[in-house]
């Protein structure tokens, strides 16, 4: 499995950055920009270091927040040297086939695209012309699907953050999203409009992100914070993120056709009473993936139930299939688990972590149906060691190739997704 995915590209050794000492450099040329993140190679991190990034032919730097309707066209590569926000009232339209690259760096100003409450992102990629977010170290250009990076490379820039006004369950009706400093008002999310509309995100691939903005605080590949059901999201991919692949903080947005590959933490994460549905998805666990699913319950008084259905989950030697905790509530339907790992040490299984989650299962607020687990030829386990805590009564063991549930892999074609370009057949070992 690892060979099929991780041997498909060559890791860039010589990056695109012209590094300087850890000091602010003056006198940039017309083809260079100063990045406000500190130099990752600096001997000291005082939070104020900068370095020079030399723009390549066709690249355009986006150095200010977007405050009016703006279009990014596919004939240019749009470079994010720091955190850029689409502010309330503005719409950012990204043409199909456009490539956006974040400059490497960590700290509070790590490069990311934030769509604030009241703003919209119209990212209408297509099956033949996807929109790709990646790092400036990646030499990919418009019209390509895979670039020069290894599929496991991560932490090279931040990620994509979408924030809305739909309900969340936290200490207050609104909160500050993780990965964004508290001083930035564009990081607020949550409210009372379940049908809030943050735009359209289709055929979008986000790669090599997850920059660390502080100790233990990384950015997810795609973050949905309080995003409402009026938002259209389908055919999204996250590859090689240092933190979670896709994380939902409350909200009601429904998402179809999702693939997460080589997440550094959890592939799919639900928090703060996320109330939407994730339909037709693939998780490919990498060497550093913690959980395929990590589902948390409400943090405030309001509660909600999320649904994940029609999925294929491919395990790894390190990953746990899933953990439900903090009184989680979820409906899991028609999911195929394959290549699960040794369940000793609490890994390789789907289980509850707390009594509140177990109670929700017993009382019907959490349900399971149509779970299938592929037989492992190397080790024979009873299903109750994989689907724990009574979940096994809703699952069966099957031979690989005999499964009757799982994702429709044809939605992840070679024309738009890295996984498809690597060979869709490789999605099943």
């Amino acid at each position: 499995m690892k060979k099929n995915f991780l041997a498909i590209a060559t890791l860039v050794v010589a990056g695109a950055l012209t590094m300087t000492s850890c000091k602010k450099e003056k006198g940039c040329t017309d083809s260079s920009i100063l990045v406000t993140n500190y130099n990752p190679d600096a001997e000291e991190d005082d939070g104020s270091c900068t370095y020079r990034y030399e723009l390549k032919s066709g690249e355009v730097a986006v150095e200010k927040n977007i405050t009016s309707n703006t279009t990014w066209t596919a004939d240019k590569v749009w470079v994010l040297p720091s955190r850029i926000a689409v502010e309330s009232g503005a719409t950012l339209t990204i043409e199909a086939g456009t490539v956006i690259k974040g400059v490497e760096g960590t700290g509070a100003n790590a490069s990311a695209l934030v769509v604030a409450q009241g703003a919209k992102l119209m990212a209408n990629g297509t099956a033949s012309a996807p929109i790709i977010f990646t790092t400036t170290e990646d030499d990919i250009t418009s019209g390509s699907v895979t670039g020069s990076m290894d599929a496991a490379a991560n932490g090279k820039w931040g990620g994509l953050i979408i924030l809305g006004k739909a309900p969340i369950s936290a200490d207050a009706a609104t909160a500050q999203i993780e990965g964004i400093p508290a001083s930035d008002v564009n990081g607020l999310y949550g409210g009372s409009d379940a049908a809030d509309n943050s735009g359209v995100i289709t055929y979008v691939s986000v790669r090599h992100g997850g920059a660390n903005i502080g100790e233990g605080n990384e950015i997810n590949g795609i973050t949905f914070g309080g995003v409402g059901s009026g938002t259209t999201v389908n055919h999204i991919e996250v590859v090689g993120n240092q933190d979670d692949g896709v994380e939902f903080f409350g909200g009601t947005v429904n998402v179809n056709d999702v693939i997460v590959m080589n997440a550094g933490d959890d592939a799919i994460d639900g928090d703060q009473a996320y109330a939407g549905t994730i339909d037709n998805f693939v998780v490919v666990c990498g060497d550093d993936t913690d959980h395929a699913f990590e589902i948390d319950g409400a943090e405030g008084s309001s509660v909600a139930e999320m649904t994940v259905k029609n999925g294929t989950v491919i395990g790894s030697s390190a990953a746990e299939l899933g953990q439900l905790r903090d009184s989680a509530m979820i409906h899991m339907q028609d999911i195929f688990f394959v290549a699960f790992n040794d369940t000793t040490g609490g890994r390789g299984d789907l289980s509850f972590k707390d009594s509140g989650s177990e109670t929700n299962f017993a009382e019907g607020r959490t349900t399971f149906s149509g779970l299938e687990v592929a037989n492992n030829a190397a080790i024979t386990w009873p299903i109750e060691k994989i689907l724990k805590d009574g979940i096994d009564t809703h699952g069966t063991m099957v031979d690989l190739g005999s499964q009757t549930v799982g994702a429709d892999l044809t939605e992840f074609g070679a024309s738009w997704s890295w996984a498809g370009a690597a060979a869709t057949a490789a999605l099943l070992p």
Side-chain angles (χ1 to χ4, degrees):
M1 191 62 225
K2 181 180 177 183
K3 291 181 180 178
N4 286 332
F5 275 91
L6 303 187
I8 60 177
T10 301
L11 180 66
V12 171
V13 176
L17 302 178
T18 301
M19 296 295 186
T20 67
S21 61
C22 187
K23 297 178 180 178
K24 186 172 182 180
E25 185 174 342
K26 299 180 180 180
C28 282
T29 67
D30 290 341
S31 62
S32 66
I33 53 177
L34 283 180
V35 180
T36 55
N37 309 318
Y38 66 82
N39 180 348
D41 295 333
E43 293 182 1
E44 296 182 3
D45 167 22
D46 64 4
S48 63
C49 299
T50 64
Y51 61 87
R52 182 193 297 270
Y53 174 77
E54 296 289 340
L55 291 170
K56 304 181 187 70
S57 176
E59 291 185 344
V60 176
V62 182
E63 298 187 81
K64 295 181 179 179
N65 284 351
I66 296 166
T67 58
S68 60
N69 294 348
T70 300
T71 298
W72 291 352
T73 54
D75 60 336
K76 299 179 178 64
V77 173
W78 301 85
V79 174
L80 308 178
S82 62
R83 184 177 68 257
I84 299 297
V86 186
E87 296 189 3
S88 180
T91 296
L92 171 61
T93 299
I94 303 179
E95 289 185 349
T98 302
V99 174
I100 302 96
K101 296 184 178 183
V103 177
E104 183 181 6
T106 58
N109 291 316
S111 57
L113 180 64
V114 180
V115 181
Q117 287 184 321
K120 287 186 178 180
L121 174 64
M122 304 302 291
N124 282 290
T126 68
S128 59
I131 294 168
I132 296 175
F133 288 81
T134 186
T135 166
T136 49
E137 292 187 24
D138 190 350
D139 67 4
I140 193 169
T141 57
S142 181
S144 300
V145 178
T146 57
S148 59
M149 305 292 290
D150 190 288
N154 63 40
K156 300 297 183 180
W157 70 292
L160 176 60
I161 300 172
I162 314 297
L163 305 176
K165 299 180 180 181
I168 63 173
S169 183
D171 293 337
T174 59
Q176 185 77 2
I177 200 69
E178 67 177 26
I180 301 298
S183 58
D184 188 345
V185 296
N186 293 306
L188 290 172
Y189 70 102
S192 59
D193 185 1
D196 189 38
N197 183 356
S198 294
V200 176
I201 305 170
T202 62
Y203 293 98
V204 170
S205 181
V206 179
R207 302 151 179 207
H208 314 302
N212 193 319
I213 73 159
E215 185 174 357
N217 189 2
E218 297 93 5
I219 298 175
N220 304 307
I222 305 178
T223 301
F224 295 95
V227 177
S229 61
T231 309
T232 298
V233 183
N234 61 69
H235 296 91
I236 61 173
E237 177 184 54
V238 175
V239 177
N241 202 74
Q242 186 164 290
D243 196 32
D244 298 335
V246 182
E247 185 161 8
F248 299 84
F249 293 89
T252 55
V253 64
N254 299 311
V255 180
N256 299 332
D257 307 311
V258 181
I259 186 162
V260 178
M261 184 167 66
N262 293 335
D265 191 6
D266 308 310
I268 296 175
D269 197 330
D271 299 281
Q272 297 179 344
Y274 167 55
T277 295
I278 303 170
D279 187 3
N280 199 52
F281 64 91
V282 173
V283 170
V284 182
C285 296
D287 292 341
D288 297 320
T289 302
D290 191 10
H291 304 90
F293 300 101
E294 184 175 85
I295 309 302
D296 292 277
E299 295 177 8
S301 59
S302 61
V303 296
E305 301 164 11
M306 64 179 286
T307 298
V308 292
K309 61 182 183 178
N310 302 316
T312 296
V313 178
I314 302 169
S316 73
S317 60
E320 189 169 354
L321 297 184
Q323 188 175 88
L324 280 65
R325 60 189 198 178
D326 298 331
S327 298
M329 291 186 284
I330 187 172
H331 304 288
M332 302 184 75
Q333 306 168 13
D334 299 330
I335 300 174
F336 177 51
F337 297 95
V338 61
F340 49 88
N341 47 301
D342 190 342
T343 59
T344 58
R347 309 300 297 171
D349 57 50
L350 176 64
S351 62
F352 301 110
K353 190 177 181 181
D354 69 303
S355 60
S357 296
E358 293 177 335
T359 297
N360 286 333
F361 177 41
E363 297 181 354
R365 289 179 290 274
T366 286
T367 62
F368 304 92
S369 62
L371 304 185
E372 294 184 354
V373 181
N375 284 303
N376 189 317
I379 306 174
T380 302
W381 294 313
I383 193 170
E384 60 266 25
K385 290 191 68 175
I386 303 160
L387 306 179
K388 290 186 172 181
D389 304 326
I391 302 173
D392 62 287
T393 60
H394 303 281
T396 56
M397 301 288 291
V398 299
D399 290 332
L400 183 62
S402 299
Q403 68 271 18
T404 62
V405 299
D408 177 3
L409 301 181
T410 63
E411 293 295 334
F412 308 105
S415 62
W416 78 272
S417 73
W418 184 317
T424 301
L427 289 173
L428 293 178

